[in-house]
Amino acid sequence: MLEQEGFVYKESGLGTKVLSNLTLLGQHDSPVNSFAGLSAENGSDRVSSKIIKFEVAFPSADLCEKLNLDENDPVYEIIRLRLLDDEPLVIEHTYMPVSPVPALSKRILEGSIYSYLHKKLHIKFGGVFRRIKADLPDKYDRQYLGVNESTPILEIEQIVWTNSGVNLEYSRSRNLYNNRSYIMVETSH
């Protein structure tokens, strides 16, 4: 983990070396390969959520493909504004199949969904496929992030799967371009 975050470099036969301070590292950086969740990264006491939409619906054909579902498998459709220190940070558009995530409630959504998945349901994540791209704001971005129609948005689209290979989440997280950035450290081995 320390190597992935750029603090140390390990090579067989040479040992482990502590790396110098990485001057590119910023206050609002998040590791691109992390899927611990906003609350875990920033502290649950600093993160809160405003629920914009919380419904159960049948998935579209596109969502069936992304989550490997049948058209009759209900999904949660969740849109939340996540606040950091009471300031708008990100809008999350999340879809999860209902069957592996029973009893999801507004109370849980106001906190950390990932904490509920890990601690109450004992679901372990196996991995994440993530696409990061720039976009123009949609109606939710304009309304809840307070931007105009030409303000750049950074979107993180992802599919998270469990350690048993089940696609558990499809989401799009939309950040104001200057509120959050993502880092990646690569080594030569």
Side-chain angles (χ1 to χ4, degrees):
M1 180 182 266
L2 289 174
E3 184 178 26
Q4 288 177 343
E5 293 187 20
F7 295 113
V8 298
Y9 175 75
K10 292 176 18 178
E11 188 169 330
S12 182
L14 295 177
T16 302
K17 307 291 181 204
V18 176
L19 297 175
S20 63
N21 186 19
L22 297 174
T23 58
L24 292 177
L25 195 58
Q27 178 183 3
H28 300 292
D29 288 341
S30 177
V32 74
N33 58 350
S34 171
F35 47 100
L38 194 60
S39 295
E41 289 176 8
N42 293 284
S44 60
D45 57 324
R46 297 181 61 208
V47 177
S48 59
S49 301
K50 178 180 179 181
I51 301 166
I52 299 168
K53 184 176 187 179
F54 178 40
E55 296 178 357
V56 174
F58 291 109
S60 66
D62 180 58
L63 197 53
C64 284
E65 187 175 333
K66 285 181 170 78
L67 289 175
N68 198 25
L69 297 173
D70 182 76
E71 63 185 13
N72 294 316
D73 295 331
V75 295
Y76 295 110
E77 181 179 358
I78 305 158
I79 302 175
R80 299 188 300 171
L81 173 64
R82 306 300 303 275
L83 301 111
L84 181 63
D85 298 327
D86 296 320
E87 293 294 322
L89 180 67
V90 60
I91 295 180
E92 298 174 344
H93 302 256
T94 305
Y95 299 88
M96 291 181 162
V98 171
S99 63
V101 188
L104 197 57
S105 67
K106 287 186 175 186
R107 184 187 58 74
I108 293 166
L109 295 180
E110 288 169 349
S112 170
I113 296 173
Y114 282 6
S115 178
Y116 173 70
L117 294 174
H118 298 314
K119 293 177 182 173
K120 298 290 184 191
L121 300 181
H122 306 288
I123 293 173
K124 294 183 181 184
F125 292 161
V128 61
F129 176 86
R130 192 169 278 150
R131 177 187 347 212
I132 301 173
K133 67 178 186 175
D135 199 5
L136 291 173
D138 64 18
K139 68 178 184 177
Y140 293 106
D141 302 328
R142 290 190 302 273
Q143 181 175 354
Y144 294 100
L145 296 177
V147 299
N148 64 42
E149 60 275 350
S150 62
T151 304
I153 296 293
L154 183 64
E155 180 181 88
I156 294 77
E157 181 180 26
Q158 69 182 22
I159 296 173
V160 176
W161 61 88
T162 66
N163 63 349
S164 60
V166 174
N167 289 358
L168 186 68
E169 172 192 337
Y170 168 71
S171 66
R172 294 180 308 109
S173 298
R174 297 177 59 86
N175 307 273
L176 188 58
Y177 74 97
N178 60 352
N179 274 0
R180 203 163 183 210
S181 55
Y182 294 84
I183 59 167
M184 182 176 78
V185 176
E186 287 191 53
T187 60
S188 61
H189 67 279

